[in-house]
Amino acid sequence: MTREEAQALFSDYLEDALDSRQRDEMQAFLAREPECAAEMFALERTLSLLHRLPPREPALEIWRELLPRVEKFKAECKLSWLERLQIRGEEFRAQVSGGVILWTHALSECAHTRLSRYVQHDLRLHSKTDGGGEEIC
Amino acid sequence: MPTDRRSLWPAPLSNLPRLDPDVALVRQFRATASPAVFEILFRKYQTPIFNLVHRMVNGEEAYDLTQEVFYRALRSLVSFQGDCKFRTWLYTIARNVCLNYLREKKVRAGLEGSSLDAEDGQPGFVLEPADPQADVPKIVEVRELQRVVDRVLAAMPPEQRLLITLRDLDGLSYEEIAEITENSLVNVRSKLHRARQAFKNKFQPYLDHVDPSLDLRAGGMGK
């Protein structure tokens, strides 16, 4: 077993997902490669910390913020399918408009960057051809 | 003539296919559209979903995005067929919301001209490595450890962050992760292994600073 092969099996070894032959081979390898064993021990300690880390819990009340949207959805459910379709259509249009605005913004930024690069390049060319003696306004 | 009485009795409860309690709640919600029923599902999954979202985006946006996950789930409940676990379905929505948000954030950061310090991690984020030689104070509080873990995660590509959070922080099975990330089991295993190695390499300088007596059962932390 090479070092790379052993490293590739670290996770499976720690999760006890290796068959007995592979496990024995790994144990023999770790016994004769203390550097690799230390690496695996560090991974084991890291994963053990992660596994025991308590989950992040929200400090703010999310439900209070969500409730009006749930109520609105409930009211929407009472509408006819045509009215609901209209609402969905409007939402879709709003999303498309948002996307188009973002895309246009991106395009204008790209154009602006290219233009400023071109102008700088042009200025440099001018200063070279003029021998650098003339001041360019 | 003796009759076989066993056939007259209903099958024992243990022999019946068990209905996922979440699916029962979904059905109840579909029938009544009662916010109270949805609130039960919300309360049950609020912490794991917030945990995932917070690890993925690492900021105040986690609140808005968690709300968005549940709102999207609410709107899509009609299309939930029950052919997968509700939990897996909800996590898939959370994954999509987070990845979309990170993608948009990257585009916006690009537009605003901010530098992308981390090649694949969060734009503008630089992980300051702990110097093992320096006199760094021991990590004696869960809050500090949470912060370090979040910083290390934030310096990793979103896909690796997602895999580590789902498996090592939320404790989902490989099958569930494969479903959520739309990857094969083999792929999930190999990608998770690479993610763990990357996490370990970034976390290693901090590892020796973690106080061995740190009590990690001391409850979850808010922001």
Side-chain angles (χ1 to χ4, degrees):
Chain A
M1 184 181 268
T2 64
R3 193 188 171 95
E4 284 74 29
E5 282 169 345
Q7 281 173 332
L9 293 175
F10 277 175
S11 276
D12 288 341
Y13 178 71
L14 290 173
E15 290 190 333
D16 214 6
L18 296 181
D19 59 43
S20 56
R21 187 188 58 81
Q22 284 177 312
R23 198 175 55 241
D24 293 346
E25 228 177 291
M26 176 69 104
Q27 278 167 351
F29 178 81
L30 293 175
R32 62 173 188 271
E33 294 279 344
E35 209 177 297
C36 222
E39 203 182 312
M40 208 210 51
F41 181 59
L43 181 66
E44 189 178 18
R45 273 184 68 198
T46 308
L47 293 182
S48 159
L49 271 178
L50 287 182
H51 293 166
R52 289 179 298 131
L53 202 64
R56 286 275 192 184
E57 283 178 24
L60 303 176
E61 180 60 63
I62 301 176
W63 177 250
R64 207 182 301 152
E65 300 272 322
L66 183 64
L67 187 58
R69 297 177 85 182
V70 180
E71 298 282 5
K72 191 182 159 204
F73 177 76
K74 190 183 171 186
E76 251 179 52
C77 289
K78 287 178 185 162
L79 298 174
S80 69
W81 68 268
L82 191 65
E83 287 168 318
R84 256 185 278 169
L85 196 68
Q86 279 174 340
I87 292 175
R88 292 278 156 88
E90 276 163 26
E91 281 173 356
F92 178 71
R93 274 203 297 276
Q95 278 179 357
V96 170
S97 314
V100 168
I101 289 169
L102 197 67
W103 180 242
T104 319
H105 193 168
L107 274 183
S108 71
E109 283 291 326
C110 281
H112 179 76
T113 316
R114 273 192 200 166
L115 191 64
S116 51
R117 262 191 225 145
Y118 176 77
V119 170
Q120 278 169 5
H121 179 71
D122 204 36
L123 281 176
R124 254 182 260 128
L125 268 183
H126 271 291
S127 60
K128 272 184 192 166
T129 51
D130 296 345
E134 284 177 35
E135 209 173 287
I136 300 160
C137 299
Chain B
M1 194 176 169
T3 52
D4 187 2
R5 286 188 60 138
R6 275 174 302 176
S7 60
L8 300 175
W9 294 93
L13 281 175
S14 57
N15 290 354
L16 291 173
R18 282 186 66 190
L19 182 64
D20 181 0
D22 295 338
V23 175
L25 282 169
V26 169
R27 284 184 189 166
Q28 201 183 336
F29 178 76
R30 274 195 210 156
T32 60
S34 159
V37 177
F38 188 70
E39 190 181 354
I40 299 172
L41 286 168
F42 173 84
R43 298 270 174 220
K44 184 172 176 185
Y45 289 106
Q46 174 184 215
T47 302
I49 293 296
F50 179 80
N51 187 46
L52 171 70
V53 174
H54 194 283
R55 305 284 182 197
M56 288 297 289
V57 304
N58 192 21
E60 291 297 319
E61 299 89 348
Y63 287 95
D64 289 340
L65 291 177
T66 305
Q67 198 193 120
E68 188 58 31
V69 170
F70 282 99
Y71 184 62
R72 283 197 194 179
L74 172 77
R75 299 201 73 146
S76 311
L77 273 181
V78 186
S79 62
F80 176 67
Q81 299 297 320
D83 43 9
C84 65
K85 275 193 203 165
F86 178 77
R87 177 166 94 144
T88 317
W89 181 76
L90 193 61
Y91 267 100
T92 310
I93 296 177
R95 166 209 173 229
N96 292 338
V97 167
C98 291
L99 293 183
N100 283 343
Y101 169 80
L102 291 172
R103 226 170 280 141
E104 279 173 24
K105 194 177 174 183
K106 200 171 178 180
V107 170
R108 247 181 257 135
L111 287 178
E112 285 158 13
S114 71
S115 62
L116 296 171
D117 296 313
E119 198 179 313
D120 286 307
Q122 283 189 8
F125 185 88
V126 187
L127 179 70
E128 293 163 30
D131 180 4
Q133 305 301 320
D135 187 22
V136 178
K138 283 233 177 253
I139 297 173
V140 289
E141 275 186 32
V142 180
R143 189 192 297 265
E144 289 170 56
L145 183 61
Q146 292 272 30
R147 216 172 289 143
V148 171
V149 167
D150 283 347
R151 290 175 65 192
V152 172
L153 280 175
M156 293 170 71
E159 198 190 9
Q160 292 194 340
R161 220 180 299 165
L162 178 73
L163 289 171
I164 294 227
T165 309
L166 291 176
R167 178 67 186 167
D168 294 321
L169 291 160
D170 282 357
L172 268 68
S173 69
Y174 280 109
E175 286 76 15
E176 284 176 305
I177 298 172
E179 214 169 306
I180 292 165
T181 57
E182 291 161 4
N183 271 309
S184 67
L185 271 177
V186 179
N187 247 337
V188 169
R189 279 185 178 277
S190 66
K191 284 181 177 177
L192 177 69
H193 176 67
R194 279 200 294 274
R196 282 171 167 174
Q197 288 280 21
F199 184 90
K200 189 223 32 167
N201 291 341
K202 287 183 163 71
F203 188 74
Q204 188 120 32
Y206 299 95
L207 195 56
D208 292 330
H209 295 292
V210 179
D211 191 338
S213 63
L214 179 64
D215 184 11
L216 287 169
R217 293 161 303 168
M221 302 300 305
K223 276 289 292 179

